[in-house]
């Protein structure tokens, strides 16, 4: 076996010429012992010139082993043989020809289950590294290639220990062979810029083009904890959900190395702050919780004893149980000791993982042996806790993101008051899926909640829309007719007269009664007949082309239609809805602070809102009907504010429109279910469906015996069916009258029966309006209209 490699830039010889030069400096030392030692070494060098010219094979080294041991005895002090981890070796080869007893003992305990190759280095990296050494030694180019050199060697407990090596290169010489190339500054600059181009390096430093003669001293120290911490950080940062179980096993191995305890096991319990309970990690099948011991959840009070609870949640200290058997015998009712004893734990450490003061979970270290884990070695956790906190924080955020994605996919946007329920269900689904079960998202139901409904509706919006469409179509047909008349003058043909006749017929239809099919026929006529006609007119004369350009200038570029009156209508609806929604949302945010409840609103021709309030929504044992009554009064007040806000903005609207407000009162509690197919809440059950029927139809209901609608501009209509509701709202009205919000004009009316619904009544009360011009004066609707006109 040769120490050199044919595919390596260096031919390697083990020589001691550089070391002998050091001894020559000591030959005239004033210290007789140093002088005597130098003479003995140099006599050996003279007697065996091979030790200077270099040994090329392990057999040569073995032949001169006694001489080498003598030469290196100053570097390998007998006194430090059992303490220092030191080797004499050659670079880039796992060949050790001299070592201390401590190093030999480490290899013996490993029982051959090791490889003295460096970790994390490839053959190409070694090649470039050797070339860098040549650049430094021969060309004076300092190449800082320093990276940690490690040997990974298992100990007698089969824990892999990492030894970092620090090399001393004082005793090496570099000489070019006949294969060496003389490098220019340009060559060196090119190499520096192309570290990854191995072919370039090999072209500048061909194999065996340089000779290495000498040896290096490697001083080693146990860096197991440092390397373990680095590996721990890399493992925790990897965050690969597909390999989470592999990462957990690796994490456990790293902890065993840090504590130097091969038998310790790791567990983890997630802390659910909302429920104040421990839960298992959903993603990992190979990590259990010793606190939970197989349970899917356990309240903190039931899982911990007072002392462990105090340590983990209050004082933020590690809780150590050094002898589980003894502690369990002394305190047999202690829930924590009981669980640890049942799992054959000998000792344990529990550590709260905190982020900004909030507990995220508990890291559990457990050994089957008593006293192996204790309050002393618990301090080793100080070094690793920052990494664990980062990992758990990232994992928690990732889980929250998954939950949000699942909620959005299954349920779209969810109101904050019921968000907790969807989070709960998402956790259940994700836990099942992590366990390999294919489960779907169950429907979310809230029982025994009280509904509230209100709307501010734009009166006559359908009629106003039709009028706007009608006006735009009249404008467009009249403009088309003018162009065709001009065309008839330029090119008299009966077909143009026939087009004018059709336009007149359409105008007559529009003036009488605009229908959906009439509108569609006119638009088809313009597209199929007028467009080709105008293309022809464009070529007929410049005057016609100018008229067509003027006509097209009146069209909306996106719709290709005249969009004037319809635009005023659409803009008015948009402005109304925006103003009403913003006001309602602003008020609603404050109402949530009074008592949490579900809220949703819809923009139609006006703004509708649904609210549900009850125990099952808040998840707390705190609901009282007082909160329902408060929300009803709040709703009535806000409806009055929305009325005021609208009539103050009315003069600025492009189109003159009116609104009317209505509140629907439902006396009984009901159940609401989130419909997964429709992504919305709906009442649950046949009886409760009556509420939805009333809600959809009541604003079109007539007052009994009349043709008057229950809703009317300037008034708020409160629809109900129970006498108790009437009395309740009359009290609210009286209160708001005292605050000049509602007028004294109050009427109670009966409503015509709706399909399947009878016995409805309504309170109608006039709203009092204030203008910004004179906010101390209160107006009824009629008076307000006069004020606006003036």
């Amino acid at each position: 076996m040769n120490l050199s490699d044919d595919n390596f830039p260096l031919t390697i010889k083990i020589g001691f010429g550089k070391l002998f030069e050091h001894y020559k400096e000591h030959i005239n030392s004033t210290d007789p012992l140093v002088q005597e030692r130098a003479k003995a070494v140099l006599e050996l060098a003279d007697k065996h010139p091979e030790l200077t010219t270099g040994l090329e094979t392990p057999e040569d080294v073995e032949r001169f082993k006694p001489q080498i041991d003598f030469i290196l005895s100053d570097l390998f002090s007998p006194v430090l043989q059992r303490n220092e981890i030191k080797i004499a070796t050659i670079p880039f080869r796992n060949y050790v020809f001299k070592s201390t007893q401590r190093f030999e003992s480490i290899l013996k305990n490993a029982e051959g289950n090791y490889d003295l190759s460096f970790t994390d280095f490839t053959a190409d990296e070694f090649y470039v590294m050797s070339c860098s050494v040549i650049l430094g030694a021969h060309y004076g180019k300092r190449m800082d290639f320093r990276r940690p050199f490690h040997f990974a060697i298992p100990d007698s407990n089969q824990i892999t220990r990492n030894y970092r090596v620090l090399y001393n290169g004082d005793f090496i010489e570099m000489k070019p062979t006949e294969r060496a190339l003389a490098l220019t500054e340009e060559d060196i600059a090119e190499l520096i810029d192309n570290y990854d181009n191995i072919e370039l390096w090999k072209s500048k430093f061909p194999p065996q083009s340089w000779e290495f003669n000498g040896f290096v001293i490697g001083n080693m120290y146990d860096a197991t904890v440092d390397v373990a911490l680095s590996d721990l950080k890399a493992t925790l940062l990897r965050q690969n959900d597909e390999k989470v179980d592999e990462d957990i096993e690796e994490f456990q191995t790293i902890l065993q190395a840090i504590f130097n305890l091969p038998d310790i096991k790791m567990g983890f319990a997630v802390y659910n702050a909302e429920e104040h309970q421990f839960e298992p990690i959903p993603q990992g099948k190979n990590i259990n919780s010793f606190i939970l011991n197989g349970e899917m959840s356990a309240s903190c009070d039931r899982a911990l004893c007072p002392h462990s609870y105090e340590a983990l949640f209050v004082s933020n200290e590690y809780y150590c149980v050094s002898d589980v058997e003894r502690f369990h015998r002394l305190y047999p009712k202690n829930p924590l000791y009981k669980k640890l004893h049942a799992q054959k734990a000998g000792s344990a450490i529990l550590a709260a993982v905190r982020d900004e003061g909030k507990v995220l979970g508990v890291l559990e270290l457990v050994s089957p042996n008593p006293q192996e884990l204790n309050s002393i070695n618990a301090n080793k956790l100080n070094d690793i806790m920052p990494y664990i906190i980062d990992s758990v924080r990232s994992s928690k955020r990732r889980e929250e993101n998954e939950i949000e994605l699942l909620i959005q996919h299954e349920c779209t946007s969810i109101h904050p008051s019921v968000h907790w329920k969807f989070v709960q269900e998402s956790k259940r689904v994700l836990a099942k899926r992590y366990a390999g079960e294919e489960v779907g998202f169950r429907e979310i139901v809230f029982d025994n909640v009280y509904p509230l409904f209100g709307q501010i509706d734009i009166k006559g919006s359908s009629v106003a829309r039709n009028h706007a469409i009608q006006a735009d179509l009249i404008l467009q047909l009249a403009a088309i007719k003018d162009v065709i008349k001009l065309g008839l003058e330029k090119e008299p043909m009966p077909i143009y007269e026939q087009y004018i006749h059709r336009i007149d017929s359409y105008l007559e239809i529009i003036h009488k009664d605009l229908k959906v099919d009439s509108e569609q026929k006119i638009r088809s006529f313009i597209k199929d007949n007028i467009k080709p006609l105008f293309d022809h007119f464009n070529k007929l004369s410049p005057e016609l082309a100018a008229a067509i350009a003027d006509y097209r200038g009146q069209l909306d570029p996106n719709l290709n239609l005249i969009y004037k009156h319809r635009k005023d209508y659409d803009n008015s609806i948009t402005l109304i809805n925006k103003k009403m929604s913003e006001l309602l949302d602003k008020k609603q945010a404050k109402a949530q602070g009074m008592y949490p409840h579900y809220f949703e609103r819809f923009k139609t021709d006006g703004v509708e809102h649904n609210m549900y309030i009850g125990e099952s929504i808040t998840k707390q044992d705190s609901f009282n009907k007082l909160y329902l009554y408060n929300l009803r009064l709040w709703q009535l007040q806000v409806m009055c504010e929305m009325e005021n806000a609208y009539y103050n903005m009315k003069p600025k609207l492009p189109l003159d429109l009116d609104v009317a407000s209505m509140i629907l009162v439902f006396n009984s509690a009901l159940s609401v279910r989130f419909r997964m197919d429709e992504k919305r809440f709906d009442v649950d059950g046949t009886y409760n469906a009556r509420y939805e029927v009333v809600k959809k139809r009541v604003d079109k209901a007539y007052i009994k015996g009349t043709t008057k609608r229950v809703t009317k501009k300037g008034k708020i209509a409160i629809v109900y069916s129970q006498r108790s509701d009437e009395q309740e709202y009359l009290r609210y009205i009286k209160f708001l009258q005292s605050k000049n919000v509602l007028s004294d004009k109050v009427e109670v009316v009966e409503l015509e029966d709706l399909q399947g619904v009878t016995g409805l009544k309504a309170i109608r009360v006039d709203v009092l309006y204030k203008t910004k011009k004179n906010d101390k004066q209160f107006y009824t609707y009629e008076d307000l209209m006069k004020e606006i006109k003036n």
Side-chain angles (χ1 to χ4, degrees), residues 556-760:
D556 181 271
N558 296 318
L559 301 173
N560 208 29
L561 296 166
I562 286 182
Y563 182 60
K564 182 177 180 296
H565 296 92
R566 175 69 185 276
K567 185 177 183 180
D568 288 345
Y569 170 82
D570 287 344
N571 285 346
S572 296
I573 296 295
T574 301
L575 288 169
I576 294 168
N577 285 347
K578 184 173 183 292
K579 180 68 175 179
M580 297 300 101
S581 297
E582 286 176 353
L583 177 58
L584 186 58
D585 289 347
K586 185 179 178 181
K587 297 292 181 180
Q588 170 54 207
K590 292 182 179 179
Q592 290 292 341
M594 299 177 197
Y595 193 82
H597 56 278
Y598 178 78
F599 170 81
E600 62 182 352
R601 62 163 172 75
F602 307 96
K603 293 179 183 178
T604 53
D605 287 347
V607 176
E608 299 178 359
H609 65 269
N610 284 322
M611 294 186 288
Y612 299 105
I613 188 169
E615 190 76 59
S616 60
I617 287 176
T618 58
K619 198 184 65 166
Q620 298 171 1
D621 186 17
S622 60
F623 179 72
N624 186 295
K625 267 202 166 183
L626 177 70
Y627 295 115
L628 169 64
Y629 303 144
N630 180 69
L631 194 59
R632 285 176 172 176
L633 175 57
W634 171 88
Q635 182 188 36
L636 181 56
Q637 285 178 300
V638 171
M639 295 296 287
C640 294
E641 290 186 48
M642 291 171 73
E643 282 271 343
N644 265 274
Y646 171 72
Y647 281 108
N648 272 287
M649 73 179 291
K650 180 178 177 177
K652 301 174 185 176
L653 293 175
L655 200 63
D656 187 18
L657 296 168
D658 280 303
V659 297
S661 299
M662 184 203 73
I663 290 172
L664 174 62
V665 184
F666 196 74
N667 189 265
S668 304
L670 45 73
S671 296
V672 289
R673 179 184 297 269
F674 189 85
R675 306 290 180 185
M676 290 298 173
D677 52 345
E678 300 177 22
K679 310 288 193 223
R680 67 180 186 86
F681 274 105
D682 201 357
V683 296
D684 195 37
T686 306
Y687 171 75
N688 294 332
R690 177 175 176 266
Y691 171 73
E692 285 295 324
V693 172
V694 175
K695 193 169 71 173
K696 290 174 182 176
R697 300 176 182 174
V698 70
D699 65 322
K700 302 295 189 293
Y702 292 102
I703 296 174
K704 202 165 194 175
T706 72
T707 56
K708 295 179 181 178
R709 290 271 176 87
V710 65
T711 56
K712 185 180 180 181
K713 55 193 177 185
K715 295 179 181 288
I716 289 183
I718 303 164
V719 180
Y720 59 95
S721 61
Q722 302 295 318
R723 173 67 177 166
S724 59
D725 295 329
E726 178 183 306
Q727 293 172 339
E728 178 186 345
Y729 274 86
L730 285 174
R731 289 195 299 270
Y732 300 156
I733 290 169
K734 191 171 183 180
F735 168 68
L736 294 178
Q737 285 170 339
S738 71
K739 299 180 73 174
N740 291 318
V741 174
L742 296 173
S743 82
D744 295 333
K745 296 180 182 178
V746 182
E747 58 180 330
V748 177
V749 297
E750 291 186 36
L751 304 186
E752 293 282 2
D753 293 343
L754 300 174
Q755 183 179 348
V757 180
T758 60
L760 290 178

Side-chain angles (χ1 to χ4, degrees), residues 327-575:
F327 279 51
H328 176 58
R329 191 169 59 251
L330 291 172
Y331 309 101
K333 293 184 179 180
N334 185 297
L336 178 61
Y337 302 158
K338 191 183 296 184
K339 282 193 175 182
L340 291 173
H341 186 264
Q343 296 168 85
K344 294 183 171 51
S347 53
I349 300 172
L350 303 182
V353 178
R354 289 172 172 262
D355 180 29
E356 296 180 352
K358 296 178 181 177
V359 177
L360 303 180
V362 175
L363 175 69
E364 310 158 351
L365 297 184
V366 171
S367 168
N369 307 311
Q371 298 185 342
E372 270 197 349
L373 294 171
N374 50 66
S375 62
I376 297 173
N377 60 10
N379 289 288
K380 293 193 175 197
L381 287 174
N382 293 340
D383 295 325
I384 68 174
M385 284 306 285
Y387 304 126
I388 295 173
I389 290 169
D390 283 344
S391 175
V392 174
R393 183 195 297 125
S394 299
S395 177
K396 192 171 184 66
R397 285 175 184 162
R398 209 163 59 251
E399 183 190 6
E400 288 171 354
N401 290 339
E402 282 190 66
I403 288 170
E404 288 303 320
L405 286 172
L406 185 59
I407 291 173
Q408 289 173 23
H409 179 265
E410 298 286 351
C411 320
T412 67
S413 180
I414 296 300
H415 190 262
S417 62
V418 295
H419 187 266
W420 65 270
K421 188 83 168 180
F422 292 86
V423 170
Q424 195 177 68
E425 178 61 11
S426 296
K427 284 184 176 180
R428 184 194 70 85
V429 170
L430 290 175
K432 293 286 186 183
R433 289 181 182 176
Y434 287 137
E437 296 181 40
E438 280 302 318
V439 295
F441 210 89
R442 295 181 303 201
E443 290 184 321
I444 304 295
V445 179
F446 293 96
D447 295 317
N448 205 34
V449 297
Y450 293 90
L452 296 92
F453 174 77
Q455 68 175 34
I456 183 163
D457 186 47
I458 298 171
K459 296 297 288 182
S461 58
S462 298
V463 174
R465 180 180 179 278
N466 285 341
H467 284 163
I469 294 171
Q470 185 181 39
D472 283 342
L473 286 175
I474 290 171
L475 283 176
Q476 188 161 1
L477 288 172
I480 291 169
K481 184 178 177 181
D482 288 342
V483 176
I484 296 175
K485 281 181 177 180
L486 183 60
L488 187 61
E489 292 177 11
K490 299 293 182 183
E491 187 182 38
M493 291 202 316
I495 189 67
Y496 300 155
E497 294 181 56
Q498 190 265 337
Y499 278 136
I500 292 171
H501 172 72
R502 285 183 69 182
I503 289 171
D504 287 337
S505 299
Y506 284 134
L507 286 169
E508 186 178 351
I509 292 170
I510 292 170
H511 279 295
K512 285 183 180 178
D513 183 21
L514 178 67
K515 296 180 180 178
V516 175
D517 63 333
S518 302
E519 181 187 351
Q520 189 58 46
K521 285 177 182 177
I522 293 169
R523 291 186 174 179
S524 297
F525 165 68
I526 294 171
K527 179 183 176 184
D528 300 336
N529 299 94
I530 301 305
K531 188 178 182 301
L533 176 65
F534 282 9
D535 290 342
H536 168 68
F537 279 172
N538 259 323
K539 300 172 185 176
L540 199 59
S541 79
E543 192 178 352
L544 269 172
I548 292 169
D550 182 59
Y551 159 74
R552 287 178 175 162
Q554 301 177 57
L555 304 182
D556 181 271
N558 296 318
L559 301 173
N560 208 29
L561 296 166
I562 286 182
Y563 182 60
K564 182 177 180 296
H565 296 92
R566 175 69 185 276
K567 185 177 183 180
D568 288 345
Y569 170 82
D570 287 344
N571 285 346
S572 296
I573 296 295
T574 301
L575 288 169

Side-chain angles (χ1 to χ4, degrees), residues 159 224-225 228-229 232 248-262 264-267 287 363-366 373 380-381 384-385 388:
I159 291 177
T224 302
V225 173
L229 288 173
L232 172 66
I248 287 167
E249 288 182 11
E250 187 176 340
F251 184 20
Q252 185 164 272
T253 302
I254 292 168
L255 287 173
Q256 290 169 351
I258 290 173
F259 280 85
N260 197 23
L261 298 172
I264 63 171
K265 302 292 182 186
M266 181 190 73
I287 181 167
L363 175 69
E364 310 158 351
L365 297 184
V366 171
L373 294 171
K380 293 193 175 197
L381 287 174
I384 68 174
M385 284 306 285
I388 295 173

